[in-house]
Amino acid sequence: MRKSSKFRLLLLFIAGIIFIVFVLVMQRQFNNPDFDFQNEASEVNELENDEETEKADAADEDADTDEESGDSESEEESEETDADTGDSNEEEYEVTAEVLNIRSSPNADSEVVETLVNGDIVQLIGEEDEYEWVEISYQDVTGYANAGYLEAVE
């Protein structure tokens, strides 16, 4: 054989060995218990959910700030909303906010137990306080949400 043919064959052999080593390293990393793709993906989803939760928290706090301003108009609106929501059991309401947090207690600082999206249907259990926090139920979760982000389903 010629020298150039032997050189090409040697380069092809070396490239093949490098490829095999690369595949083995990648396979080992893929099977490595420290490298868990699903956990990596869930962490990314959690970060996205945290961002949405922060936006919803800000909306909840804005609603709380508006309610605490003490306007007589907001008190009248609150009374109208009280009359609209009532205390009847298991009324269905639709979420009107892009993201709405269900919280463990009726304040913006409490733990978020579930996050709802626009269009979700919840059951109103009862009204909690003058700040429009209502107790609701969604699937197996019960908690509190601001009534300003709920609309009665007809």
Side-chain angles (χ1 to χ4, degrees):
M1 275 195 188
R2 295 171 144 182
K3 250 185 170 177
S4 65
S5 296
K6 289 181 181 179
F7 183 70
R8 289 181 186 161
L9 189 59
L10 179 65
L11 285 176
L12 185 60
F13 180 73
I14 291 172
I17 297 222
I18 291 172
F19 178 74
I20 291 171
V21 168
F22 174 77
V23 168
L24 291 173
V25 167
M26 293 307 290
Q27 184 178 16
R28 183 171 181 261
Q29 185 177 12
F30 186 73
N31 291 330
N32 185 350
D34 294 335
F35 178 77
D36 188 1
F37 174 74
Q38 289 182 345
N39 280 346
E40 295 286 329
S42 68
E43 287 176 10
V44 170
N45 288 339
E46 286 177 13
L47 288 174
E48 290 172 356
N49 287 342
D50 288 346
E51 290 174 3
E52 291 175 1
T53 301
E54 288 175 5
K55 289 178 185 177
D57 287 347
D60 287 348
E61 289 175 10
D62 288 345
D64 289 345
T65 303
D66 292 344
E67 292 165 1
E68 292 172 359
S69 66
D71 292 10
S72 61
E73 290 178 18
S74 65
E75 289 176 10
E76 290 171 5
E77 290 173 6
S78 176
E79 291 173 7
E80 289 173 9
T81 305
D82 291 349
D84 290 345
T85 57
D87 286 334
S88 61
N89 290 335
E90 302 300 321
E91 290 182 44
E92 288 191 340
Y93 281 75
E94 181 178 0
V95 174
T96 58
E98 244 180 82
V99 177
L100 179 65
N101 292 325
I102 297 179
R103 297 186 174 272
S104 59
S105 54
N107 63 58
D109 297 329
S110 62
E111 176 187 2
V112 175
V113 294
E114 183 73 36
T115 301
L116 305 178
V117 295
N118 190 341
D120 284 343
I121 304 295
V122 299
Q123 285 73 40
L124 183 72
I125 297 174
E127 196 145 340
E128 181 60 27
D129 62 16
E130 72 270 13
Y131 298 111
E132 295 185 17
W133 285 95
V134 292
E135 187 174 10
I136 61 172
S137 174
Y138 177 75
Q139 295 176 350
D140 295 338
V141 178
T142 301
Y144 297 88
N146 192 290
Y149 301 106
L150 300 172
E151 184 175 292
V153 175
E154 294 179 18

